[in-house]
Every structure is written in C-alpha cells, then in structure tokens.
Amino acid sequence: MIIKTIEAKKVNLELLHPVVVAIGSIHSCETVVVKVETEEGIVGYGEGIGVTFVTGETVDTILSAVGVLKNELIGLDPFAIDHIHSVMDRTLIHNASAKAAIDIALYDIMGKHAKMPLYRLLGGIADQMETDLTVMIGTPEEMTEEALQIVGRGFHHIKIKAGLHSEEDVEAVRRIREAVGPHIHLKIDANQGWSAGDSIRIIQKMAELGVEAVEQPVPAWDIDGLAYIRSKSPIPIMADESCFSPQDAAKLVKKDAVDIINIKLMKCGGLYRALQINTIAETNGVRCMLGCMMESRISISAGAALVASRPNFIYGDLDSFFYFKESPEIRGGFTCTGPRLKLSEEYGLGIKVDF
C-alpha cells in the first residue's frame, strides 16, 4: 500500500459567538481538511487548523505546508508513520497543524484498512469519553451565568478561562463555585496571563474555592517559573503552551514543573506525536489532558479516540465543536449526549466529508 494523492481545501466553520481568552480572541474560523488516498482507493481525512497566537499558523500557511509535504510523501507507505513524521520534520520545521492533518488522515486510512474503529486501532476498549465545557472570559456575572447553563446541560467538568485581570479571575471563580455547588469539577486556564509571583497568591485563593487544576499560569518559555509555582501550589499545575513536542515534555518532567500536560493534536503534529508525549508523561508520573484548538468533528473524533484508548488521560477538553453550527460538509465520528462523546464503530474515524 502506498499514498497516491494528497489534497487539501478550506472549510468555513461558523461560530455561534466569539471566543475570548487571555492571549487573543477568535471571531471567525476556517479549517483545512486534508484528503489522502492510497493506490488501493482507501481514503483518509484529516484536519489542520492554526491559531496564530498559539501555533503561528493560518489556513493559508497550512495549505502551503501541505502542498510542500505532499511532494515528499506520495509513494510512501501510510502505515510507516514514524518514517513519515521523520520525512515531514526534515522537510519543514514547525507547521504542526499541517503535519497533524496528514497524520490524522493516515490513521483514518490505517483504521479502514484494518477494519477497526480508531479507538480500537489505538489499543482501546472504551468507546466513549467525557469532555468538559469552557467558560470564556467575560464579566464575573456573565461567566457565572454561562457556568450555570453548562451545568444545566449535564456537564460535570467546567474549564474557566482567566488571565486578564487577576482579581476578576478570583471573583468569577468564587461566584461560579457558589452558583454550581461543591460537586462540579472546576479547572482554571490562565493562558500565560499571570506572573510567577502573582500565580502563588491567586492559586492559594483558587484552592480555597475547590479548583482542582491550574493550566499555564505563566508565559510558555518560563519553565523555571512553572517549577517554582508547582513547588508552592496546593493544587496540580498543568502545562499547555509550554509543551508542543515530546522534547518539551521531557524538559517539563525533568524540571518537575508540572503535574499534568495538556496535549493538543494541532500543537504537536497529530496522534503519533501525542502518543509519544503521553508515554513520556506517564513513565514520569505525569497525567495528561487532551485539549483542542477550534477543530471540527474530524480532529475531535481523533482526539476522543486517543483519550478513550489511554488511561493516563484524566481529562478531555474536546469542546470546540460546541461553538460551531453543525457543518453539512463534515458528519459523523461520534454522537454526543451532554458531556459524553460516543465514538463511531465505523472503521477509522467514522467521518463522512463532502470533499
């Protein structure tokens, strides 16, 4: 089996409302869908979406990168995933979302050829996982109302965006905790918005409010700051923007800087690299969360299959598709009941795409 063609196109994803975080805001969204076909006629679909203030990519740079990469990949065996990543990495540095799109499509092909859904191809037995839902930055009153709506939809885990104004961050969490009660799981994501010194003070207050993890409190480059915060923190510290690659994960665990790593397929280059990061974390006693950017059902299906296949993932943060109107061009992959994503039993991703 060899790769015959690789194609890519833009798909518009219509947001229900803007998404606001500490380091930027998203008002509209396009993604890149990649179609890989083998000489035997097996087709796999993948997705790449860049967030400029996180990965530095746009849909146009992803399209360009896929165009460069395909010239090196046509004729290769789609099952030779380690070799394919080596070829992609020596052809282009960075461009993780473009590589993720190709990687996901190849895993879709592998599942279809093996006649297995992706979660089983990855070694899993569970066919479902639970995601949180995110409260975006707003006034404390707005954030509390959003949290109540989330709980009303049956969610047990809420991720709260923070990092613009520390006192408002604490006040928002206080109000949310009072509103939702003691049994809802709360995580805070500061998106690099605090200093190391401020983080200690804020985290102490968050601990009193029953917050169970704080994500990326300081700038991505400040690994020493993360390690300092972790040494003083009464609750687990999670890295996000500080970890793009397996090498980043190795640095984080070597410095004892984190309790949890947030892996995102678009940051690391797809499922293959995500599996490597999870292995590094697990062998060093660090747990993982699988997060997302603003992906469609294609990448969310891949991420959900990964979470379902590996017990070291204690959290799923795969909520981006809740912010879009359903796209008629992209269907399947999973069904959703409240916070639970039940994976398709169709082979591969179980995704249907009008390409």
Side-chain angles (χ1 to χ4, degrees):
M1 180 182 292
I2 64 170
I3 297 169
K4 183 176 76 171
T5 62
I6 299 175
E7 302 174 76
K9 73 169 186 175
K10 295 181 187 179
V11 173
N12 183 63
L13 302 174
E14 189 175 351
L15 284 169
L16 296 171
H17 51 75
V19 174
V20 181
V21 301
I23 52 175
S25 60
I26 302 169
H27 296 271
S28 61
C29 196
E30 287 181 314
T31 191
V32 174
V33 176
V34 166
K35 175 183 176 183
V36 179
E37 185 173 358
T38 70
E39 281 200 336
E40 293 76 11
I42 301 174
V43 174
Y45 293 104
E47 176 182 19
I49 183 165
V51 176
T52 54
F53 51 81
V54 178
T55 67
E57 295 168 281
T58 68
V59 289
D60 290 325
T61 66
I62 293 168
L63 285 169
S64 235
V66 171
V68 172
L69 293 169
K70 77 175 184 180
N71 295 327
E72 304 298 321
L73 301 180
I74 289 173
L76 298 184
D77 180 351
F79 276 81
I81 195 71
D82 181 84
H83 177 62
I84 284 171
H85 273 273
S86 296
V87 170
M88 290 196 293
D89 288 345
R90 71 169 181 251
T91 303
L92 279 179
I93 64 168
H94 310 311
N95 291 281
S97 299
K99 294 171 184 176
I102 293 169
D103 167 279
I104 293 167
L106 296 181
Y107 274 95
D108 192 22
I109 286 170
M110 286 188 264
K112 288 171 178 173
H113 181 74
K115 295 183 168 51
M116 299 171 72
L118 181 58
Y119 76 88
R120 287 185 53 217
L121 182 77
L122 294 174
I125 55 173
D127 65 352
Q128 56 188 285
M129 52 80 63
E130 184 172 350
T131 184
D132 62 21
L133 197 53
T134 302
V135 172
M136 298 299 173
I137 292 175
T139 67
E141 294 83 4
E142 291 168 341
M143 294 173 73
T144 302
E145 178 59 31
E146 189 174 354
L148 283 170
Q149 291 175 8
I150 289 170
V151 172
R153 294 166 63 181
F155 286 79
H156 309 104
H157 292 261
I158 298 176
K159 178 170 162 177
I160 303 167
K161 290 291 187 179
L164 286 181
H165 307 288
S166 60
E167 294 309 315
E168 287 191 14
D169 293 340
V170 174
E171 178 63 12
V173 174
R174 183 185 67 77
R175 293 193 185 197
I176 289 170
R177 175 56 77 198
E178 288 176 355
V180 302
H183 302 301
I184 298 297
H185 302 276
L186 302 181
K187 300 186 291 292
I188 305 299
D189 182 6
N191 280 120
Q192 311 180 62
W194 302 333
S195 68
D198 284 343
S199 295
I200 301 299
R201 174 180 56 81
I202 298 165
I203 288 169
Q204 292 291 341
K205 295 178 181 178
M206 296 294 185
E208 294 169 6
L209 296 168
V211 170
E212 59 186 46
V214 174
E215 182 178 345
Q216 200 63 53
V218 293
W221 53 265
D222 193 4
I223 308 302
D224 289 331
L226 271 181
Y228 172 73
I229 293 165
R230 183 183 182 232
S231 73
K232 304 291 184 183
S233 175
I235 54 180
I237 300 300
M238 186 188 316
D240 178 3
E241 291 92 346
S242 291
C243 187
F244 276 64
S245 67
Q247 292 78 13
D248 291 338
K251 291 174 186 175
L252 287 165
V253 298
K254 186 175 182 179
K255 290 256 188 181
D256 291 323
V258 292
D259 301 283
I260 308 166
I261 293 174
N262 183 359
I263 302 173
K264 293 177 179 173
L265 302 183
M266 297 300 115
K267 282 191 309 176
C268 69
L271 290 160
Y272 180 72
R273 296 297 186 206
L275 286 162
Q276 290 181 320
I277 293 171
N278 180 63
T279 298
I280 291 167
E282 188 171 18
T283 54
N284 286 276
V286 173
R287 308 302 293 273
C288 289
M289 177 169 85
L290 204 292
C292 61
M293 300 293 196
M294 295 301 294
E295 294 108 299
S296 76
R297 281 178 170 268
I298 298 173
S299 182
I300 296 299
S301 297
L306 179 57
V307 172
S309 74
R310 291 294 187 279
N312 196 51
F313 285 96
I314 56 170
Y315 297 125
D317 180 32
L318 298 175
D319 59 350
S320 63
F321 71 96
F322 288 108
Y323 299 97
F324 301 124
K325 294 181 180 179
E326 284 283 2
S327 170
E329 297 179 70
I330 301 169
R331 306 173 300 281
F334 57 87
T335 56
C336 182
T337 305
R340 300 209 71 81
L341 307 186
K342 188 177 188 305
L343 294 157
S344 172
E345 289 298 323
E346 294 189 30
Y347 302 150
L349 290 171
I351 286 285
K352 302 288 190 298
V353 179
D354 294 338
F355 195 95

